Amino acid sequence: MIPVIDIFAGPGGLGEGFCSLTNVHGDRVFKIALSIEKDEFAHQTLTLRSFFRQFRPRKAPKEYYDFLKGKMNLDQLYNTYPKEAAHARKEAWMAKLGDTKAGFTNQIVDEKIKEALKGEKNWLLIGGPPCQAYSIVGRSRRQEKILDEKKDERVGLYKQYLRVLAAHNPAVFVMENVKGLLSAETRENAVFTKILQDLSNPAKAFYEDFGQNGNHIKCPGYKIYSLSVRADRFDDRRNPVYNQKDFIIKAEEYGIPQTRHRIILLGLRNDIDITPGVLRKKEPVGISQVLADLPRLRSGLSKQKDENESWRGAIRKISTKTYLRGVDAVVKEKILSQLSRIRIPTNGKGGLFVATEQSNIAYRQDWFTDKNIGGVCNHESRGHMDSDLLRYFFVSCFGNVMHRSPKLEDFPEALLPNHENVNQGIAERKFADRFRVQLANKPAKTITSHISKDGHYYIHYDPLQCRSFTVREAARIQTFPDNYYFCGPRTAQFSQVGNAVPPLLANKIAEIVFPIFEKLAVIEQSENRIGKPLTPVLI
C-alpha cells in the first residue's frame, strides 16, 4: 500500500477518502502511516477510525458495532483487540506542529515521520493548515484586511507543511484550505501568490525565515496542479500556469451535497514527469437524497421541561394572529396545514445511537451504509428556545413553498430575532439570513465549524421535525460513512464535522492520485531492468 502522512488531520476526512479507495480485489491502496492532530477529541476520532481500518473493508468485528450501539466503551473495545488498538494509537499522534515548548520539536516530528515511512521514498503528504485566519467571514468579523503573523500564529502554520515537504520530499502532496486565501494579504504580499511560490520551492521558503538560504536541504521542489482544470500553459521551467481561481474546488459540482468551495492543491515532485488528471463533474445532489432515510426526530426544549407535548404546544403558538400577521398567504397556508400534521416522532430526540432498519438512502448507498450497524449513531437533536422553534417552523415552511430561505425582511415582525442590529440587517441586507433553512432538493450551504455554536444556519427542511441538523445529518452532508463515529461531547463532534474535508470528495481526488503512483512504479521498474536502483512504490 502507498503510505500517507496526514498532518493537521482533524477528524480524518481527507485520509478517509484516500483509505477508502480499493483495487479490483477489494483491498485498500493507500494506508495512513501517521496522522497528526492537536485537538483532543479529533485525535480520539482519528484513533478510533485507525482501529476500524486495521481490519479489511467491511470486515470490522462485531465488537466495533457493539461500541456504536453503546453496549461497550472504548477501553473495552480496545482491550478486546489490543494489537489493533496499539497500532491505531501509534498511527494517530496528538501533537501540535511547531510547538517546541510542548516538546514537539522538528527533530521529534522528523523521527516520527521517518519511522512511519520505513524508508519509502514515494509517498503522499495530505492535510491543510488551520484556515480560520484566512477565511473571508473570519476576517470580516475581525475587521481585518491585512493579516499579521505576529498577532495570529495561524497565518504562518502552513510553513510547518513547507518544512515537512522540504525535509522529507514526498512524491505527491494534497493541500486544502479556504478560498479566502485568494483575497488574503499580509503586509508584504498576497498570501496565495506567496504560498504557491513557497510550495514550489519549500526548502528556500521555510529556511529563509531563519536567515538561511535552504541550499543545504536537498529538495527538488514541486509543480502545483489544479484538480478542476487541465493545464494548457507552462512556463519556461515546464511548471503549469493557471488562473488562481482554477484551484477552487466547488464540491457541489462533483457529487457532494453541499456548496463547499475550497482551495485544493495537488503537488508533484519536480523529478516526476507525469501530468495528472482532473475531477469529473457530476449532477448536483439535493440533501434530501442523503437525509430522508434517517430516523425522524423532534427538537429538544432548552428553557423549559423537555416533554413531547410541551414541544408540540410550543410550535402551535405560531397559529395565533400575532405570529401570522404579515405572512405571505401561501406561506401561511403551508404553516397551518403542517401544524395539523404534527406528530411526536417515534425516536423522540434521538441519541448517540438510534436503532433502525436497513437504510434506504437514495444516493451512494455503497458509500454511506453499513448493514452491520443496525441503526444510526451521533443522531441526537439539540434543544432550542420556544422563540427559535417558531422561527424554525416558519423558515422551513417558507422554504418548502418559496424554494429559498427567507431573509429577515420576509419574517413577520413578531418572529424577528431580538438583536440590536436587526433593523440594520433588514436595511443593509447584512447577515440577513441568520436563520437559514437548507432546501431539500438542493445541496446544503457549507457545513462549517460554526454549526457547533447554534443551529440557526442549518435548519432542517422538514417542518414536522422543527429543528436544526444533528451531527449525523451534518456528517451525511459532509459525506462521512455511517460507521464513522465522532468522539467527544456534541459540540466537539459538530466542530470536527464542520472542519473536515468531505471524504467522498477526497476519494475522488484519490482516484486521480493513485494512477500517478502506478506510473511511478512502472517507470522505476523499467529503470531497474536497465541496472538502476529501484525503491518500491507500493509497500
Side-chain angles (χ1 to χ4, degrees):
M1 289 190 284
I2 302 164
V4 180
I5 302 294
D6 188 3
I7 63 177
F8 306 110
L14 194 52
E16 175 69 11
F18 276 87
C19 291
S20 296
L21 187 68
T22 56
N23 59 22
V24 293
H25 304 293
D27 297 319
R28 297 184 179 98
V29 297
F30 289 97
K31 184 185 188 305
I32 302 292
L34 179 68
S35 58
I36 305 175
E37 170 56 37
K38 68 182 180 67
D39 179 78
E40 175 186 1
F41 297 118
H43 173 257
Q44 290 177 14
T45 299
L46 278 176
T47 305
L48 177 60
R49 197 59 180 180
S50 173
F51 172 85
F52 177 85
R53 287 196 292 258
Q54 301 310 309
F55 305 90
R56 290 195 66 195
R58 304 290 178 177
K59 298 294 183 181
K62 173 183 177 295
E63 289 82 1
Y64 178 79
Y65 298 99
D66 286 342
F67 165 75
L68 296 187
K69 296 172 184 176
K71 295 180 178 180
M72 64 191 319
N73 60 35
L74 265 182
D75 287 340
Q76 291 170 325
L77 174 62
Y78 291 159
N79 288 338
T80 306
Y81 293 92
K83 179 181 176 181
E84 289 81 1
H87 192 107
R89 290 189 179 104
K90 185 176 182 180
E91 177 187 302
W93 184 33
M94 190 168 76
K96 183 178 180 181
L97 296 179
D99 189 354
T100 56
K101 292 181 180 179
F104 304 120
T105 64
N106 293 343
Q107 181 180 354
I108 289 176
V109 172
D110 289 343
E111 289 173 355
K112 282 275 191 180
I113 291 175
K114 289 177 181 177
E115 180 184 4
L117 292 174
K118 299 178 181 177
E120 176 55 54
K121 181 180 72 172
N122 291 327
W123 56 280
L124 173 68
L125 175 69
I126 62 175
C131 57
Q132 295 92 333
Y134 301 122
S135 74
I136 294 171
V137 173
R139 283 185 282 137
S140 174
R141 286 175 177 160
R142 297 189 300 273
Q143 297 184 331
E144 290 178 351
K145 292 185 178 179
I146 304 297
L147 300 178
D148 191 336
E149 286 185 39
K150 294 180 180 178
K151 293 182 179 179
D152 192 337
E153 65 174 4
R154 296 173 300 182
V155 178
L157 275 177
Y158 85 96
K159 292 179 180 177
Q160 291 300 319
Y161 200 102
L162 293 177
R163 200 199 68 78
V164 173
L165 287 173
H168 299 280
N169 306 163
V172 182
F173 73 80
V174 175
M175 177 177 166
E176 182 263 358
N177 219 302
V178 293
K179 72 173 184 178
L181 279 178
L182 295 182
S183 58
E185 296 180 352
T186 65
R187 298 187 185 281
E188 289 77 29
N189 48 47
V191 168
F192 189 58
T193 299
K194 181 68 163 59
I195 286 178
L196 289 176
Q197 293 172 351
D198 291 351
L199 289 170
S200 66
N201 191 347
K204 177 179 183 297
F206 182 80
Y207 287 98
E208 69 182 3
D209 283 354
F210 302 96
Q212 303 174 30
N213 58 24
N215 291 336
H216 62 295
I217 301 297
K218 294 182 179 180
C219 177
Y222 291 85
K223 295 182 177 69
I224 315 300
Y225 289 89
S226 163
L227 285 162
S228 63
V229 177
R230 291 187 183 276
D232 57 7
R233 292 186 297 144
F234 297 85
D235 63 18
D236 55 2
R237 296 184 179 181
R238 293 298 300 162
N239 293 311
V241 178
Y242 298 96
N243 182 307
Q244 289 191 353
K245 291 184 178 180
D246 292 339
F247 294 105
I248 296 176
I249 300 299
K250 297 180 179 180
E252 73 275 16
E253 295 182 351
Y254 304 101
I256 310 303
Q258 66 172 307
T259 56
R260 190 181 195 89
H261 298 174
R262 293 290 187 266
I263 288 174
I264 303 183
L265 307 176
L266 175 63
L268 270 65
R269 206 169 54 211
N270 273 331
D271 62 336
I272 299 172
D273 189 17
I274 297 172
T275 301
V278 296
L279 294 166
R280 290 179 293 178
K281 293 191 175 182
K282 303 285 186 181
E283 290 295 317
V285 178
I287 59 171
S288 63
Q289 292 180 257
V290 297
L291 299 185
D293 67 298
L294 291 172
R296 294 177 61 253
L297 307 176
R298 71 166 177 88
S299 64
L301 294 169
S302 61
K303 297 294 184 180
Q304 60 175 290
K305 195 170 183 179
D306 193 356
E307 297 178 334
N308 288 336
E309 288 305 319
S310 298
W311 172 77
R312 182 155 50 184
I315 297 171
R316 284 178 169 170
K317 292 177 185 177
I318 201 171
S319 63
T320 64
K321 292 181 179 179
T322 300
Y323 293 112
L324 294 180
R325 186 178 294 118
V327 175
D328 181 275
V330 178
V331 178
K332 184 186 296 186
E333 181 181 352
K334 185 69 174 180
I335 288 173
L336 295 175
S337 68
Q338 291 294 295
L339 281 175
S340 68
R341 297 178 58 208
I342 291 180
R343 303 289 185 273
I344 304 301
T346 303
N347 296 292
K349 297 183 297 179
L352 288 177
F353 182 80
V354 179
T356 186
E357 295 181 0
Q358 175 69 29
S359 168
N360 291 312
I361 188 171
Y363 178 67
R364 289 299 304 268
Q365 186 165 358
D366 63 311
W367 176 266
F368 285 100
T369 62
D370 182 340
K371 65 180 181 180
N372 296 315
I373 301 176
V376 181
C377 56
N378 300 121
H379 190 47
E380 180 181 21
S381 64
R382 284 194 271 209
H384 301 296
M385 297 186 298
D386 280 14
S387 56
D388 284 339
L389 284 182
L390 297 177
R391 296 181 183 110
Y392 284 17
F393 195 82
F394 167 76
V395 299
S396 56
C397 290
F398 186 102
N400 276 201
V401 297
M402 294 299 190
H403 310 297
R404 66 177 177 87
S405 186
K407 304 292 185 182
L408 287 179
E409 63 194 50
D410 298 309
F411 277 66
E413 185 175 352
L415 289 182
L416 285 171
N418 186 23
H419 295 300
E420 294 179 0
N421 59 353
V422 164
N423 291 332
Q424 180 187 8
I426 295 173
E428 301 179 8
R429 297 178 179 270
K430 186 176 183 181
F431 294 108
D433 58 348
R434 64 176 69 242
F435 287 87
R436 180 188 295 159
V437 62
Q438 302 300 324
L439 304 178
N441 62 347
K442 293 184 178 181
K445 299 299 181 183
T446 308
I447 302 293
T448 69
S449 60
H450 183 80
I451 195 172
S452 67
K453 301 183 185 300
D454 61 55
H456 298 342
Y457 278 39
Y458 305 98
I459 299 171
H460 200 288
Y461 55 81
D462 181 6
L464 300 182
Q465 299 188 58
C466 193
R467 58 177 177 81
S468 58
F469 288 151
T470 66
V471 171
R472 179 51 51 193
E473 287 166 333
R476 277 275 187 96
I477 292 169
Q478 277 278 59
T479 69
F480 279 94
D482 288 351
N483 56 28
Y484 208 108
Y485 184 87
F486 296 91
C487 298
R490 188 169 58 199
T491 298
Q493 295 169 18
F494 272 123
S495 292
Q496 291 172 55
V497 173
N499 284 327
V501 175
L504 184 55
L505 179 61
N507 185 255
K508 295 174 185 291
I509 296 172
E511 291 176 348
I512 293 172
V513 173
F514 179 53
I516 297 171
F517 284 93
E518 286 187 305
K519 291 175 183 177
L520 268 176
V522 171
I523 291 170
E524 293 198 348
Q525 287 168 2
S526 176
E527 290 176 347
N528 188 53
R529 283 196 295 269
I530 61 174
K532 294 185 178 181
L534 168 66
T535 301
V537 175
L538 305 180
I539 62 172

